[in-house]
Amino acid sequence: MKDNALNSGSLRWDSISEAINLNDWVYDNLSIAEMAVKKGLCDHCLGRLFGKLGTGMTNDERGRMIRDALSSRGIDTNVPKNCSLCDDVFLILDRFADACAESILSIDTENFLIGSRIDPGTADKEKALWEELGTENAESLKTELNREIGKLALPKINRAVEFKSPQVVACVDVRFADVTLDIAPIFIYGRYNKLSREIPQTIWPCRVCKGKGCPRCKGAGKMYLTSVQEIIGDIALEMSDGSEHFLHGMGREDIDALTLGTGRPFVLEISTPRKRAIDLDELEKRANLSELAKFNSLRFVSRGSVQKIKEMTPTKTYKVKVKADGKVNKERVNEVARTFRNLCIEQRTPARVEHRRADLVRKREILWVEADWIDDDTFNLTLETGSGTYVKEFVSGDDGRSRPNFSEVLGVQCRVETLDVLAINDHEVIR
C-alpha cells in the first residue's frame, strides 16, 4: 500500500524521502488523515494541514499523496468540486502574480516581497479546523499564498526577494483580487546650516487652525512660510515622487538662532517614494540655491539612523551676543567667564517653553566659557555646553529658574541678543 502512494505521478523524485516519512505518518495517524480528507478540502488545503512535515514538495503534492495513501486503504478521498476552506483561490494565482508584477514594476526598487490578506472568517475557520483535528504541523493559508504567488511573480519582476527589509511589499487582497503597495521610506542623512533667524527647523503648524488654514496664517496652515525641512524636503519629494517628508534633527535651535560651522546632523525621511535612486548631488545642489539654509554630506542611511540621531547627546559650541543692563567691567566679565568651567548647573523648564514642555528641573553642564569684549555694556560669549542646555537662560537666569547663571555671578542683569550654534560635536557617527 505504501508503494502505491510512492508511485503517484504527482510525486517528484527528489521528494522520495519525505514521501516515505509522510506516508509512514499517514499510517501512524490514520484517523486524523481520514478526518481531514472528509472536510471537503482541495489538495492545497489538505496538504497544508501537514505542511511542516518535512520539505521537498508543495502542499498540493502533499495533499495528493495523502489521498493516495488513504485510497490504498479503501477510504473514499474524492476531491471536492469547491474547497470548503479556500474557495479554490489557488486556481487564480496567475492573476494575482500578474497584478503584483505590474504594481511592483511601476516603481523603482531593488527588491520586493509578496504579502496577502484573506477574509477574517476564512482565517477563523482555518484555526478552528486545526483545533478540531489537533494537528501541530499545519501551515497557514496566508503563508502558502505568499510563497506560491511570489514564485509565480518572481520571473515576471526579475528583482530580488527580500524578507527582512523589503523596499516594497505587494499585498494581495484575495477577497477582491486587489493589490496594494506598501513602499518603505527612504532615509537621507546630512548636515544643515540655518542662515536665517526667521525660519524654524521643521514645519510649524498654525497654533490657531492646527494646519487647516485660517486668517491668522493666511490660509497657509503654518506659522512660518518655510522651514529647513521644506527647503530640502520639497525638492526630495519631487525627485522621489514620494508623498510626505519628515526631518529628524540631532536636537534643534531656536527660530532666531543661526547654525553655522559644519552644520547640524539630520535625517530626512521620504514616505512612499516611487523612485528610490535619486541623485543626492543634485538634491544638495538644488537645495543650496536657497539663501536661508545650506546642506552638505548627504547620503542614504537605514531606518535605524533616525533612532540613533534622536538618542545622541553631543556637546554643542555656541556664540552669543550679550547685552547688559548697564556698564560692566571687561576684566570682571572675563573673570566670571572663567568660573564656568566643567560646572553643573540646574535649569528649570524656561518660562518661554513651559506651555509645551514638562515643568522639570534638569542638570546641565557648562564645559567652558570665553568672553570677547565689544563695548561698555555689550560683549560676546563663546561656550561649550552639554546637550539640552538652555543657553539664553544660562545667561539671563530666567528669573532664578536657571542657577547658577552668568547674570547672577556678574551681578548685572544680562540678556542674549543673538545666538549662533558654532558646532555640534557629534564626530560623524551616523551610518
Side-chain angles (χ1 to χ4, degrees):
M1 288 186 290
K2 293 184 181 182
D3 290 341
N4 289 339
L6 292 176
N7 290 331
S8 170
S10 65
L11 193 60
R12 298 193 306 266
W13 283 108
D14 60 359
S15 304
I16 292 298
S17 62
E18 182 185 359
I20 293 172
N21 293 335
L22 184 58
N23 209 38
D24 288 341
W25 181 90
V26 170
Y27 284 103
D28 292 339
N29 299 270
L30 192 62
S31 61
I32 295 178
E34 185 174 358
M35 287 174 59
V37 84
K38 291 181 179 180
K39 293 297 181 179
L41 305 175
C42 67
D43 286 334
H44 280 275
C45 292
L46 177 60
R48 195 171 58 255
L49 286 171
F50 316 105
K52 295 180 181 179
L53 291 174
T55 59
M57 65 174 67
T58 61
N59 282 327
D60 59 328
E61 290 171 339
R62 188 176 287 108
R64 288 195 295 272
M65 202 203 79
I66 291 172
R67 290 187 199 278
D68 288 344
L70 291 173
S71 293
S72 68
R73 302 278 296 185
I75 298 172
D76 182 12
T77 61
N78 290 333
V79 179
K81 291 183 178 180
N82 298 105
C83 180
S84 63
L85 180 59
C86 75
D87 200 26
D88 295 320
V89 69
F90 290 95
L91 297 178
I92 54 174
L93 293 187
D94 281 329
R95 187 190 306 175
F96 296 150
D98 287 342
C100 287
E102 181 179 357
S103 297
I104 292 172
L105 290 173
S106 70
I107 63 172
D108 171 28
T109 67
E110 296 175 349
N111 56 60
F112 74 97
L113 188 65
I114 301 293
S116 62
R117 183 177 294 111
I118 64 175
D119 188 285
T122 300
D124 292 341
K125 187 188 298 185
E126 183 175 56
K127 290 181 180 179
L129 182 60
W130 294 352
E131 292 175 1
E132 180 183 351
L133 296 177
T135 179
E136 298 178 354
N137 300 291
E139 180 183 56
S140 71
L141 173 58
K142 284 187 61 170
T143 299
E144 184 176 10
L145 283 172
N146 295 348
R147 181 179 62 250
E148 296 305 316
I149 297 172
K151 285 162 58 176
L152 293 172
L154 182 58
K156 306 173 189 290
I157 298 171
N158 197 29
R159 297 177 188 174
V161 177
E162 170 60 43
F163 293 97
K164 187 176 180 180
S165 300
Q167 293 177 348
V168 60
V169 177
C171 185
V172 182
D173 191 328
V174 300
R175 299 170 297 178
F176 312 109
D178 182 48
V179 175
T180 57
L181 294 181
D182 181 7
I183 304 173
I186 57 176
F187 300 91
I188 301 168
Y189 168 86
R191 305 179 80 97
Y192 72 79
N193 296 110
K194 189 164 84 71
L195 307 179
S196 169
R197 300 189 191 276
E198 297 180 351
I199 66 170
Q201 179 194 74
T202 57
I203 300 171
W204 196 326
C206 175
R207 292 195 184 100
V208 176
C209 66
K210 310 301 182 185
K212 297 178 181 178
C214 68
R216 162 64 181 80
C217 62
K218 298 180 180 179
K222 52 189 181 180
M223 298 292 291
Y224 299 88
L225 290 179
T226 191
S227 61
V228 174
Q229 174 186 341
E230 291 164 280
I231 290 170
I232 190 170
D234 288 350
I235 300 170
L237 207 63
E238 173 199 329
M239 294 176 67
S240 64
D241 194 13
S243 61
E244 196 172 4
H245 55 67
F246 307 91
L247 190 141
H248 310 280
M250 189 179 289
R252 64 171 63 232
E253 62 287 297
D254 291 337
I255 291 171
D256 60 355
L258 303 184
T259 299
L260 308 174
T262 58
R264 183 182 296 277
F266 70 93
V267 173
L268 179 68
E269 176 182 351
I270 304 295
S271 298
T272 60
R274 302 187 71 85
K275 300 175 184 176
R276 306 187 73 84
I278 63 175
D279 187 334
L280 296 186
D281 289 337
E282 179 186 352
L283 173 59
E284 186 173 314
K285 181 179 179 180
R286 290 177 59 184
N288 284 339
L289 293 175
S290 170
E291 297 180 353
L292 304 176
K294 300 295 180 184
F295 303 86
N296 68 84
S297 307
L298 300 187
R299 63 176 182 266
F300 291 109
V301 291
S302 66
R303 181 189 296 270
S305 296
V306 173
Q307 182 176 353
K308 289 180 181 178
I309 211 166
K310 292 292 189 182
E311 291 177 347
M312 290 185 64
T313 56
T315 66
K316 299 175 177 96
T317 307
Y318 300 90
K319 182 177 182 179
V320 293
K321 182 179 180 181
V322 179
K323 185 79 170 179
D325 289 348
K327 293 182 179 181
V328 292
N329 178 272
K330 177 180 179 180
E331 292 304 321
R332 177 58 181 160
V333 170
N334 288 328
E335 179 185 342
V336 171
R338 287 192 293 268
T339 66
F340 287 98
R341 179 171 292 275
N342 299 322
L343 185 67
C344 180
I345 66 172
E346 292 186 347
Q347 293 192 306
R348 185 178 174 185
T349 302
R352 63 187 172 94
V353 298
E354 63 180 349
H355 64 284
R356 54 189 173 89
R357 300 261 177 102
D359 189 9
L360 301 173
V361 175
R362 302 171 177 88
K363 294 184 181 295
R364 297 292 184 251
E365 187 177 13
I366 307 297
L367 280 75
W368 53 265
V369 181
E370 294 179 353
D372 180 24
W373 191 257
I374 297 179
D375 58 31
D376 288 345
D377 64 354
T378 307
F379 53 92
N380 289 328
L381 293 180
T382 303
L383 62 159
E384 184 178 358
T385 75
S387 181
T389 301
Y390 292 104
V391 175
K392 292 177 180 178
E393 283 69 25
F394 161 67
V395 173
S396 71
D398 195 24
D399 293 327
R401 298 167 77 93
S402 183
R403 301 192 70 181
N405 61 77
F406 201 91
S407 294
E408 178 183 40
V409 178
L410 183 63
V412 179
Q413 181 62 50
C414 301
R415 68 180 185 280
V416 171
E417 289 198 325
T418 61
L419 183 150
D420 298 338
V421 182
L422 299 183
I424 310 293
N425 304 308
D426 65 295
H427 308 297
E428 287 275 4
V429 297
I430 299 297
R431 293 291 181 266

